[in-house]
């Protein structure tokens, strides 16, 4: 069938809205009419060649919409169901079968491989293949093909524009604090970056009842938003050494630090502000795939630090996304403070406004 998609035509290109053909669902697949799709930096990392995709190609990995067809054997969802599309996983490797599917051993193939499970490509333009299946969905399109595994049925009456970003950015931020770092009531945390993942992490820290929630963010409006969401302190990195600024607030250092920036100097500054036996969570994707930090081995071992890479907030989406929906509907996860909607056709302006810091989480509406 026909789908109108935002095509990336080459490394660094703008999105081009064009009509493509999309195959119907095969066994285990689900065809979804997209109602809303969040824009995330990972889509732009694919645009910029940091994540390997095939051009022309369709990205988008925070889709939400309505199921319009299902393939053989699909039982989790049916036609007419409202769904959130999330990251993909194989379901049969060691990490998937032990409940840690965000670290699927086949993560790259299943999320950036560009092929469905049988190795074929479901998107075409004028008879030629188009890169797709990005995070098992490629949801910057009016119709997306997903897998039953990365489709989560949502019964609750939540607007699609609030549902969409739960598929990646919000579950990543909230989950990093509550599920990965396992922050406890009364603990202290510093979060670098006040974008959608960092601010979702603030919401996670509020849910976890952390006593001190410090956000480090250069943009003044985002610092104000962090405070409105429940951060206890918002630091401007330009105001001085970040490690010292955090230690002025919590002299012994904070129990948890979380980096959403991927900037090595920021990670190093956060590590310097971590308390004895503290944990360091890394979520930010660097713009340079070779980015590295130096760790002083004696310091790490004598302080008893845990350094943890985090993917998708250690989420099991079938459970965690409905939980987040409940939090939102009960007023505990004010996503409306992060989301700004744009018509799908204005995807390039959404990218620009987000890049300039004008909005936190653009959501494209179809
Ligand atoms: C991604 C970040 C890069 C590694 C895989 C998961 N999360 C969301 O976009």
């Amino acid at each position: 069938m026909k789908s109108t998609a935002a095509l990336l035509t080459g490394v660094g290109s703008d999105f081009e809205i064009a009509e493509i053909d999309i195959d119907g669902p095969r066994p285990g697949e689900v065809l979804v009419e997209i109602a809303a799709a969040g824009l995330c930096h990972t889509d732009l990392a694919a645009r910029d060649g940091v994540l390997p995709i095939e051009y022309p190609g369709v990205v988008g990995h925070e889709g939400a919409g309505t199921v319009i067809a299902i393939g053989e054997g699909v039982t989790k969802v049916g036609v007419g169901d409202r769904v959130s599309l999330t990251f993909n996983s194989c379901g049969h490797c060691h990490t998937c079968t032990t409940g840690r599917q965000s670290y699927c051993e086949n993560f790259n193939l299943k999320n950036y491989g560009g092929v469905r499970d049988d190795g074929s490509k479901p998107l075409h333009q004028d008879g030629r293949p188009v890169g797709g299946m990005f995070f098992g969905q490629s949801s910057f399109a009016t119709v997306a093909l997903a897998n039953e595994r990365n489709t989560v049925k949502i019964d609750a009456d939540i607007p699609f524009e609030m549902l969409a970003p739960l598929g990646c950015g919000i579950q990543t931020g909230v989950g990093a604090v509550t599920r990965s770092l396992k922050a406890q009531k009364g603990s202290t945390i510093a979060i670098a970056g006040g974008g959608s993942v960092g601010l979702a992490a603030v919401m996670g820290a509020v849910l976890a009842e952390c006593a001190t929630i410090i956000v480090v963010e250069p943009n003044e409006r985002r610092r104000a938003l962090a405070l409105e969401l429940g951060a206890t302190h918002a630091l401007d990195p330009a105001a001085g050494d970040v490690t010292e600024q955090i230690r002025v607030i919590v002299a012994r250092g904070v129990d948890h630090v979380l980096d959403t920036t991927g900037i090595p100097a920021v990670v190093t500054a956060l590590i310097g502000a971590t308390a004895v036996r503290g944990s360091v969570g890394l979520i930010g994707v660097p713009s340079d795939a070779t980015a590295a930090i130096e760790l002083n081995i004696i310091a790490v071992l004598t302080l008893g630090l845990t350094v943890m890479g985090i993917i998708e907030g250690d989420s099991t989406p079938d459970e965690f996304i409905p939980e987040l929906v409940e939090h939102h509907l009960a007023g505990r996860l004010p996503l409306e403070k992060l989301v700004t909607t744009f018509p799908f056709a204005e995807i390039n302006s959404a990218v620009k406004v987000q890049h300039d810091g004008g909005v936190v989480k653009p959501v494209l509406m179809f």
Side-chain angles (χ1 to χ4, degrees):
M1 74 184 286
K2 298 288 178 198
S3 173
T4 303
L7 282 181
L8 287 172
T9 53
V11 173
S13 78
D14 275 347
F15 289 97
E16 261 177 37
I17 305 287
E19 193 174 81
I20 59 169
D21 296 295
I22 180 166
D23 290 353
R26 292 186 180 165
E29 293 176 345
V30 176
L31 200 63
V32 178
E33 182 177 54
I34 298 295
L39 177 69
C40 167
H41 282 109
T42 302
D43 299 307
L44 305 179
R47 174 197 65 182
D48 296 338
V50 178
L51 292 177
I53 61 155
E54 185 185 342
Y55 305 104
V58 183
V59 293
H61 66 294
E62 291 183 349
T66 306
V67 175
I68 52 174
I70 56 171
E72 205 185 300
V74 170
T75 54
K76 214 165 86 175
V77 295
V79 171
D81 284 347
R82 288 157 50 88
V83 292
S84 155
L85 301 181
T86 186
F87 66 91
N88 197 19
S89 55
C90 76
H92 48 72
C93 68
H94 179 66
T95 45
C96 281
T97 54
T98 50
R100 299 166 297 163
Q101 68 207 58
S102 62
Y103 305 95
C104 171
E105 288 165 23
N106 297 300
F107 194 94
N108 288 0
L109 174 68
K110 294 294 165 191
N111 290 280
Y112 328 123
V115 290
R116 59 217 301 198
D117 286 349
D118 66 8
S120 65
K121 296 178 181 176
L123 309 183
H124 310 272
Q125 190 183 38
D126 305 324
R128 285 188 301 275
V130 165
M133 295 311 284
F134 188 66
F135 280 73
Q137 54 182 284
S138 288
S139 49
F140 288 164
T142 53
V143 181
L145 188 74
N147 302 295
E148 181 176 32
R149 255 192 90 68
N150 70 321
T151 302
V152 179
K153 183 177 169 190
I154 301 297
D155 292 322
D157 197 12
I158 176 173
F160 281 122
E161 61 269 34
M162 300 302 154
L163 181 58
L166 296 183
C168 178
I170 305 299
Q171 73 178 339
T172 296
V174 177
V177 176
T178 61
R179 301 172 66 98
S180 314
L181 296 172
K182 296 188 168 64
Q184 300 294 311
K185 182 173 179 173
S187 61
T188 54
I189 185 166
I191 298 160
S196 58
V197 175
L199 293 176
V202 171
M203 294 185 199
V206 170
L207 285 171
E209 300 182 66
C210 292
T212 304
I213 306 169
I214 303 167
V215 170
V216 183
E217 161 61 46
N219 179 309
E220 192 182 344
R221 291 210 337 251
R222 290 183 176 190
R223 286 200 302 276
L225 184 51
L227 293 172
E228 195 183 322
L229 291 170
T232 54
H233 303 78
L235 303 177
D236 180 357
D241 182 271
V242 166
T243 304
E244 279 171 21
Q245 289 196 68
I246 296 173
R247 284 192 182 269
V248 165
I249 300 164
V250 186
R252 69 175 187 89
V254 284
D255 300 317
H256 308 284
V257 296
L258 181 66
D259 174 68
T260 71
T261 71
I263 301 170
V266 174
V267 175
T268 303
L270 287 180
I271 292 175
T274 310
V276 171
R277 261 311 190 207
S279 53
V280 177
L282 304 179
I283 331 183
V285 180
S287 50
D288 166 7
T290 64
I293 49 162
E294 227 173 66
L295 283 179
N296 180 296
I297 298 174
I298 300 273
V300 170
L301 68 89
T302 51
L303 295 175
L305 298 185
T306 300
V307 179
M308 187 190 298
I310 300 172
I311 298 278
E312 305 285 353
D314 283 84
S315 173
T316 39
D318 284 332
E319 293 156 19
F320 194 41
I321 292 180
E323 243 177 66
L324 293 173
V325 167
E326 249 181 61
H327 281 312
H328 173 66
L329 294 176
R332 295 185 295 267
L333 197 69
L335 302 172
E336 67 286 352
K337 293 191 196 281
L338 306 189
V339 166
T340 306
T341 58
F342 291 80
F344 176 46
E346 289 173 23
I347 183 169
N348 289 314
S349 349
V351 171
K352 187 172 181 324
V353 181
Q354 185 192 40
H355 181 263
D356 296 343
V359 300
V360 175
K361 170 53 82 178
V363 175
L364 306 167
M365 300 303 290
F366 292 74

